[in-house]
Amino acid sequence: MAFQSQITREKLGKLLTDKGLCTPQQLDEALKQQSVTGRPLGEILIAFGYVKEKDVLEILSKQMQVPFFDLSNFMPVGEALALIPKEYAQQLFAIPLFKTGSVLTVALSDPLDLDAIARLKQLANCDINPVLSSSRSITQAIQKYYATGANEAKTSSAVLSKPSGLNPNISPFMDSRRSKSPEAAAVPSLK
């Protein structure tokens, strides 16, 4: 698994330097910091001010083959919000955006988290089309668009138990699937 993480980390760094978004020296400094702290590479590069969050998300979107969705330019549809209770949206770092037919498009900080997608599918009783967005923008959207108490009744009637084992600090730069199924482990790490 460490070998797999190293390959992906180099790929992210290479993509960033190839696009001129950071210099090789900045990348080396971030990699050194990562080896000390264990924090995800993209997160470190953003914290150091070397790259913009949106640039990292767009590259991760290409790596994961999942569309990037800029929440600052979109207001979720009320019908979609009603399908996922606020409590679950907060726990899963997910904001439902719109529903087309029997497919609900949901912005997630980790759109490859199969457990979160399964929970969302069960809650909404429809297929889920995951898109990538930052944890920060998802949290802001949840606070902005879920009215206080708006989905509390749905929460109490949900068949699911509260999601457990979720990391509230999941970001688009973390791979929360490491300890999950062998199929999930085969997907390259985002670090």
Side-chain angles (χ1 to χ4, degrees):
M1 188 64 91
F3 177 71
Q4 190 174 24
S5 294
Q6 181 69 23
I7 290 171
T8 304
R9 180 175 54 220
E10 290 172 356
K11 185 175 181 183
L12 175 62
K14 181 173 179 357
L15 289 170
L16 290 167
T17 56
D18 286 353
K19 286 190 162 241
L21 297 172
C22 72
T23 67
Q25 294 79 14
Q26 291 171 329
L27 178 60
D28 287 343
E29 187 177 335
L31 288 169
K32 287 176 188 171
Q33 179 70 19
Q34 183 185 43
S35 69
V36 172
T37 65
R39 288 176 54 203
L41 178 62
E43 196 175 284
I44 293 169
L45 288 164
I46 292 167
F48 283 177
Y50 296 155
V51 295
K52 294 178 183 172
E53 180 181 54
K54 185 175 181 179
D55 292 333
V56 172
L57 288 168
E58 286 173 352
I59 287 176
L60 288 173
S61 167
K62 288 177 185 165
Q63 276 188 323
M64 293 186 283
Q65 298 178 345
V66 174
F68 167 67
F69 204 92
D70 185 357
L71 293 177
S72 66
N73 299 323
F74 186 82
M75 184 170 139
V77 177
E79 174 193 5
L81 289 171
L83 294 172
I84 305 296
K86 180 180 180 180
E87 177 182 348
Y88 287 97
Q90 291 171 321
Q91 290 174 353
L92 298 171
F93 281 92
I95 183 90
L97 302 174
F98 56 90
K99 186 176 178 189
T100 305
S102 63
V103 179
L104 178 65
T105 297
V106 180
L108 292 150
S109 61
D110 183 358
L112 300 180
D113 183 342
L114 301 178
D115 289 339
I117 292 169
R119 285 188 178 103
L120 291 166
K121 183 175 181 174
Q122 187 175 10
L123 281 167
N125 196 28
C126 60
D127 291 327
I128 303 299
N129 174 37
V131 296
L132 174 67
S133 197
S134 73
S135 298
R136 178 187 47 79
S137 63
I138 290 171
T139 299
Q140 289 172 348
I142 290 169
Q143 291 171 353
K144 183 175 180 179
Y145 296 114
Y146 275 97
T148 307
N151 275 337
E152 303 308 318
K154 181 145 178 141
T155 301
S156 62
S157 66
V159 177
L160 294 176
S161 61
K162 283 188 177 181
S164 60
L166 293 176
N167 181 350
N169 298 317
I170 290 175
S171 78
F173 316 109
M174 296 176 68
D175 183 359
S176 63
R177 298 161 287 118
R178 283 189 205 109
S179 62
K180 296 180 183 161
S181 70
E183 298 82 25
V187 178
S189 171
L190 302 179
K191 281 195 200 171

